[in-house]
């Protein structure tokens, strides 16, 4: 299975409206309710934790939530496993988002705990929402006890992988949205030879779309092979 280094700058901004929920309807409805509530109105500040295996869309929905809140003018604190030097908690933040918590090192765990406490039990001001995600339920996280128990305190949702049929439907709908024709043979080639998680497949489609546009060609297996040889 080939992993491609794709130009993420070409991909559209993450959006909850573009996330195919499948069997994750309850989790998606909860996230929509949180981000669509006006920030000057009463809202739930109970923490939310999402978990599921790689490829189920955790990072995508967290980034979609962050994007939606920022569009509302609500600053967001973001921490993931690539954040080498986490900042101090910022009183301007309206929410705290913690991704890839299963990979946090001791410094990141200390920062996440500090952010969590300041968000949910502030010395002054209103409580903030904490949204976190990991690959296992909170009780199975190999983190410091005080952080692990807090991550398991609120709303918990498991995100499930889409079936192959659902992934095909999403790819076809996305291609149609772009005005493209994605034939079954091209889709079969994509599913057999590349990473099968939906996020990677969508990035591949985006890259293929741009390559086809530059070369003024339709989406075909020869086009896909040409792209791999030239980029």
């Amino acid at each position: 299975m080939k992993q491609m280094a794709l130009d993420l700058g070409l991909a559209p901004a993450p959006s909850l409206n573009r996330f195919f929920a499948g069997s994750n309807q309850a989790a998606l409805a909860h996230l929509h309710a949180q981000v669509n509530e006006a920030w000057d109105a009463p809202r739930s500040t109970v923490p939310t934790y999402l978990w599921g295996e790689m490829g189920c869309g955790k990072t995508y929905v967290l980034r979609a939530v962050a994007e939606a809140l920022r569009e509302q003018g609500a600053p967001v604190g973001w921490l993931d496993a690539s954040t080498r030097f986490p900042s101090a908690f910022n009183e301007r933040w309206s929410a705290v988002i913690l991704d890839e918590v299963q990979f946090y090192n001791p410094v990141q765990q200390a920062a996440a705990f500090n952010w969590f406490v300041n968000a949910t039990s502030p010395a002054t001001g209103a409580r903030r929402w904490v949204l976190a995600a990991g690959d296992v339920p909170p009780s199975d996280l190999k983190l410091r006890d005080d952080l692990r128990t807090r991550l398991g305190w609120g709303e918990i949702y498991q995100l499930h992988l889409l079936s192959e049929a659902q992934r095909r439907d999403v790819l076809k709908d996305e291609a149609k949205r772009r005005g493209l024709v994605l034939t079954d043979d091209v889709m079969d080639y994509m599913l057999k030879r590349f990473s099968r998680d939906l996020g990677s497949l969508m990035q591949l489609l985006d890259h293929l779309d741009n390559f086809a546009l530059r070369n003024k060609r339709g989406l075909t297996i020869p086009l896909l092979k040409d792209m791999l040889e030239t980029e």
Side-chain angles (χ1 to χ4, degrees):
M1 223 178 266
K2 182 169 183 177
Q3 299 282 350
M4 290 185 62
L6 300 177
D7 183 356
L8 297 180
L10 297 173
S15 168
L16 290 178
N17 292 327
R18 297 182 64 241
F19 180 71
F20 186 87
S23 58
N24 302 310
Q25 293 286 353
L28 188 61
H30 171 76
L31 297 177
H32 270 297
Q34 286 292 96
V35 300
N36 290 336
E37 185 69 50
W39 278 97
D40 58 355
R43 64 187 297 111
S44 172
T45 53
V46 174
T48 302
Y49 181 84
L50 308 177
W51 70 275
E53 59 185 292
M54 185 179 67
C56 67
K58 301 185 299 295
T59 295
Y60 182 91
V61 296
L62 261 60
R63 292 197 178 281
V65 167
E67 185 71 17
L69 295 181
R70 287 169 182 149
E71 287 178 356
Q72 297 175 14
V76 173
W78 178 279
L79 176 62
D80 61 36
S82 69
T83 309
R84 295 183 58 192
F85 303 106
S87 66
F89 181 81
N90 190 326
E91 292 290 340
R92 295 180 59 250
W93 291 341
S94 297
V96 164
I97 299 182
L98 311 172
D99 194 20
E100 304 174 321
V101 298
Q102 73 274 7
F103 295 130
Y104 283 7
N105 62 33
V107 172
Q108 292 163 338
Q109 291 181 50
F113 176 76
N114 177 269
W115 288 14
F116 196 108
V117 171
N118 277 282
T120 59
S121 303
T124 59
R127 295 171 61 181
R128 283 83 162 180
W129 181 39
V130 177
L131 173 61
D135 61 355
V136 294
S139 59
D140 294 338
L141 289 168
K142 299 185 183 303
L143 302 174
R144 46 189 276 183
D145 289 343
D146 51 6
L147 176 59
R148 183 178 63 251
T149 55
R150 281 169 172 78
L151 291 173
W153 162 43
E155 301 277 356
I156 300 175
Y157 296 92
Q158 180 181 5
L159 293 186
H160 302 275
L161 286 169
L162 299 181
S163 67
E164 181 170 320
Q166 290 172 325
R167 289 196 294 271
R168 286 175 177 270
D169 287 341
V170 174
L171 288 171
K172 284 185 177 180
D173 287 346
E174 178 62 17
K176 183 177 180 181
R177 188 185 71 83
R178 295 166 179 259
L180 304 171
V181 176
L182 183 60
T183 60
D184 288 337
D185 61 335
V186 174
M187 197 178 309
D188 290 342
Y189 191 91
M190 293 168 64
L191 289 168
K192 289 177 181 177
R193 297 175 181 270
F194 300 93
S195 179
R196 298 168 66 88
D197 71 88
L198 186 59
S200 296
L201 290 169
M202 294 290 274
Q203 291 179 39
L204 175 59
L205 178 63
D206 188 78
H207 204 61
L208 188 57
D209 178 17
N210 281 275
F211 186 79
L213 183 63
R214 292 198 305 271
N215 290 273
K216 299 180 180 179
R217 295 166 61 186
L219 300 189
T220 62
I221 292 176
L223 177 77
L224 181 52
K225 290 179 177 179
D226 287 348
M227 184 184 76
L228 298 177
E229 291 174 357
T230 59
E231 298 198 352

